[in-house]
Amino acid sequence: MIGRLIVGIAFYLHASARYRHIKKFFYNLLENSAYPYKKFFDYTMIMLIVISVYILIRHVKYDVSQEWLFFNNYVISLIFLAEYLVRLWVYSDNSKAIIEQYEHDLFLQRPFKLLHVVQRIIVTKSEFVFSPAAIIDLLAIMPFFHEMRLLRVFILFRVFKLFRYAKSLTQFVSILASKKFEILTLGVFASVIIAVSSVLIYVMEANNPASPINTLFDAVYWSVVTIFTVGYGDFVPVTTEGRTVAMVIIVAGIAVISFATSIVVSAFTEKLDEIKEDKLIDDVSKIDQFYLICGYGPLAHQVAHRFQINDKKVVILESNKERVLEAQKEGFLALAYDPASLHSYHALRIDFESQVIAAILLEESDVLNVYTALTIREITKHVPLLSILLHHENRRKLALAGINEIVYTQELIGLMSKEVSGRPVAFEVIHALRSENSGVFIEEVILDALMATRLFESAKLPLFHKRLILLGVYKQTGKSFFFNPSNTLAIEAGDVAIVVGTRSLIDEFKALMRKKRKR
């Protein structure tokens, strides 16, 4: 009868949308660092901890009003108690465990084993109860029993609760935890030295009436103070043998400190990239709205730069780490994640519905753009997708992948022909580009300082003369386009040259401009 009642309650709670919503709310508030309201809860708890410790310190020598004592002993303790119980509640799903056991027993056609599922629940909850963080939470509640004056000291354990709410402290502990073996080795080494030196100094000094070291505890105290290079001077060996031991311990202490320093430095060095990445992810989650650019290359650079000029936020995803570093050097918010992977967006905690204005797919392959589009469409159906089309035969694939706007560079030729149709070289260019299967391309070449000095010189070489056409130059400084430019035009780094020719000829042209002359 009791088992059926418990199973019924479990099914009711599991099916209750209100119950699930409340439990999810408290879980996010306590455990989910990405939840927007968690930081306010953390700040409130930190403030309560500071108030509690302040009252304890002030109460040592000064009178504290009964109102503040009541607030500290009852109100704060009850808040911490409620937090502890809520954490215990959200740690695991009891109703789910009961339902799983009931369905398992039902499948095997045997009676519901209530005792078995209760044991499972107790074991699961015990994992939380005996975790270090939960033990600290429990000790922080102990001052509630303020009649036992000794337990008031447990207020100090509330300070350790700061590790729950201060992300930097949690991060520091996790960094040190990655060096557990090295820290354990250091601890063993230091313990052995302390033990040996304590016995030695006790043997050498204890029988000397002039020596302040009279007990084994004095010897241990002296060893700890000496080996960690504190050296208060309240206990000083007076015998020659004792001073010899002291010199050895001082040298050993320097070795211990050096070892400890190297452990911490190496731990931070190894985790530095991870810390920076976490910082970037936090920065992304804090941006209200932005344009998502998938893939980074010359075209993506120009698009991102244009958005930056117009004071628009941009986030770049690129799987190639070298390109990510290049984008970061240019001042863009870029992350080394595969834009075609669903895991990337979960790791970055991007909310497409509220954060992403549009996703712009600028990978160097139509196939990668299709995969990226399919991945984003699996997450959301509403965010506009724009993509570059590299090969016209893939247009239908991009459209079927859910891309809203497809830009094919060759289709811009018609617009260009309208602009320059009455000028020399225009008809030649348009004819070459519109001829089917001609293998002729139009490309934007972003010029660096070296390329800028060689543009006209390289275009006049026999290899390129009348085979490659310099259609125009876009000047970044004046924001103007010069069609069929003369060699008197001043070319600067950052300008864009529009060239027309075969793929191999364009590649050779760019390589020649970048090639350093032999002296």
Side-chain angles (χ1 to χ4, degrees):
M1 183 66 182
I2 297 177
R4 290 179 61 185
L5 179 62
I6 291 175
V7 170
I9 295 172
F11 272 105
Y12 172 77
L13 293 176
H14 194 71
S16 173
R18 182 178 177 81
Y19 173 81
R20 311 305 298 179
H21 176 74
I22 293 173
K23 189 166 186 176
K24 184 177 180 181
F25 168 77
F26 281 109
Y27 175 82
N28 287 332
L29 191 67
L30 295 172
E31 303 293 347
N32 186 2
S33 59
Y35 192 59
Y37 299 112
K38 187 182 188 309
K39 61 181 179 180
F40 299 110
F41 173 79
D42 291 346
Y43 293 152
T44 302
M45 300 302 286
I46 290 172
M47 183 182 67
L48 292 176
I49 292 169
V50 172
I51 291 173
S52 181
V53 174
Y54 171 76
I55 292 173
L56 173 67
I57 294 171
R58 183 171 180 80
H59 195 42
V60 173
K61 286 192 173 184
Y62 303 97
D63 291 333
V64 177
S65 66
Q66 290 299 316
E67 291 80 6
W68 278 109
L69 290 175
F70 178 83
F71 180 76
N72 184 42
N73 294 331
Y74 290 99
V75 177
I76 294 180
S77 296
L78 285 173
I79 292 173
F80 288 161
L81 177 61
E83 181 207 12
Y84 179 83
L85 294 176
V86 172
R87 286 187 186 275
L88 180 64
W89 172 47
V90 302
Y91 182 76
S92 61
D93 194 338
N94 294 343
S95 59
K96 183 179 179 181
I98 293 170
I99 292 170
E100 287 177 352
Q101 183 65 40
Y102 173 76
E103 291 179 343
H104 179 70
D105 292 339
L106 188 65
F107 177 77
L108 297 176
Q109 296 183 348
R110 67 187 185 189
F112 174 57
K113 294 185 176 180
L114 177 60
L115 184 60
H116 183 71
V117 73
V118 169
Q119 289 175 343
R120 279 180 54 192
I121 292 172
I122 291 174
V123 170
T124 305
K125 295 297 185 182
S126 297
E127 293 176 2
F128 168 80
V129 171
F130 293 105
S131 64
I135 291 172
I136 290 172
D137 289 341
L138 187 61
L139 292 175
I141 300 167
M142 298 302 286
F144 180 74
F145 307 99
H146 64 286
E147 287 80 4
M148 299 174 64
R149 294 189 58 85
L150 178 63
L151 294 180
R152 293 177 60 186
V153 178
F154 284 100
I155 289 177
L156 293 176
F157 281 93
R158 294 179 179 178
V159 176
F160 293 104
K161 284 174 67 66
L162 290 173
F163 284 94
R164 273 198 185 276
Y165 314 115
K167 186 177 179 181
S168 57
L169 292 176
T170 306
Q171 201 170 48
F172 179 73
V173 172
S174 66
I175 289 172
L176 293 183
S178 66
K179 294 289 184 180
K180 286 186 288 188
F181 176 77
E182 290 86 346
I183 293 174
L184 178 62
T185 304
L186 175 64
V188 171
F189 176 66
S191 300
V192 170
I193 293 178
I194 290 171
V196 172
S197 61
S198 299
V199 173
L200 284 175
I201 204 71
Y202 179 71
V203 171
M204 302 298 179
E205 297 285 323
N207 292 325
N208 192 320
S211 175
I213 302 173
N214 298 314
T215 66
L216 185 60
F217 179 79
D218 292 341
V220 173
Y221 169 78
W222 173 87
S223 296
V224 171
V225 169
T226 304
I227 198 170
F228 290 109
T229 68
V230 177
Y232 289 124
D234 49 350
F235 287 89
V236 180
V238 295
T239 64
T240 303
E241 294 83 358
R243 290 174 178 175
T244 303
V245 172
M247 289 188 289
V248 175
I249 297 307
I250 290 171
V251 174
I254 295 173
V256 169
I257 297 299
S258 301
F259 190 12
T261 304
S262 65
I263 290 173
V264 174
V265 171
S266 63
F268 272 94
T269 303
E270 292 173 6
K271 293 284 185 176
L272 187 60
D273 291 338
E274 187 178 324
I275 293 171
K276 288 181 178 179
E277 187 174 298
D278 290 342
K279 177 65 169 59
L280 287 175
I281 292 174
D282 287 340
D283 291 343
V284 171
S285 64
K286 292 175 183 176
I287 301 175
D288 292 330
Q289 287 191 318
F290 59 84
Y291 288 91
L292 179 66
I293 296 180
C294 301
Y296 186 77
L299 179 58
H301 171 82
Q302 289 297 319
V303 172
H305 181 64
R306 181 61 58 184
F307 278 126
Q308 203 173 49
I309 291 174
N310 295 327
D311 201 25
K312 303 292 185 182
K313 300 291 184 181
V314 175
V315 174
I316 299 172
L317 297 187
E318 169 59 57
S319 55
N320 188 310
K321 292 186 178 181
E322 292 181 359
R323 292 184 179 181
V324 169
L325 292 174
E326 181 182 339
Q328 290 174 350
K329 288 178 181 177
E330 294 292 335
F332 301 124
L333 180 54
L335 298 107
Y337 281 87
D338 183 5
S341 170
L342 196 62
H343 170 74
S344 300
Y345 302 106
H346 290 319
L348 295 172
R349 305 191 297 270
I350 294 177
D351 186 349
F352 277 89
E353 301 296 336
S354 62
Q355 286 185 293
V356 180
I357 302 171
I360 305 170
L361 316 184
L362 301 176
E363 295 278 14
E364 295 181 343
S365 164
D366 289 335
V367 175
L368 291 176
N369 286 329
V370 167
Y371 282 134
T372 303
L374 290 172
T375 301
I376 295 176
R377 280 290 174 249
E378 187 176 343
I379 300 172
T380 176
K381 306 294 183 185
H382 308 295
V383 170
L385 297 183
L386 297 85
S387 176
I388 192 73
L389 175 63
L390 302 176
H391 303 286
H392 64 87
E393 62 269 18
N394 293 326
R395 176 184 288 276
R396 179 172 171 77
K397 296 176 183 176
L398 290 171
L400 290 174
I403 296 173
N404 304 99
E405 295 289 340
I406 300 172
V407 179
Y408 186 37
T409 53
Q410 306 301 314
E411 292 175 347
L412 299 177
I413 297 164
L415 182 62
M416 187 183 296
S417 64
K418 180 180 177 181
E419 180 70 23
V420 301
S421 57
R423 306 189 185 189
V425 86
F427 290 111
E428 180 183 350
V429 171
I430 294 163
H431 174 74
L433 290 168
R434 284 188 168 177
S435 299
E436 293 187 8
N437 301 321
S438 63
V440 177
F441 296 88
I442 181 170
E443 184 169 331
E444 298 177 355
V445 180
I446 303 172
L447 304 173
D448 57 26
L450 180 62
M451 296 168 70
T453 60
R454 298 183 178 179
L455 177 65
F456 294 117
E457 176 188 345
S458 301
K460 290 181 179 180
L461 293 175
L463 177 62
F464 307 115
H465 187 55
K466 292 188 177 182
R467 296 176 63 196
L468 182 139
I469 299 169
L470 178 59
L471 189 61
V473 173
Y474 177 76
K475 295 284 295 176
Q476 291 282 6
T477 52
K479 308 299 180 186
S480 54
F481 181 78
F482 293 86
F483 177 80
N484 195 18
S486 66
N487 55 10
T488 58
L489 180 66
I491 307 297
E492 301 172 319
D495 292 347
V496 181
I498 312 298
V499 295
V500 180
T502 62
R503 171 58 56 203
S504 59
L505 206 61
I506 293 174
D507 291 342
E508 182 65 26
F509 181 67
K510 292 191 293 184
L512 186 64
M513 286 194 294
R514 292 192 183 101
K515 188 176 181 181
K516 294 182 180 180
R517 290 190 178 95
K518 295 181 179 179
R519 295 183 178 181

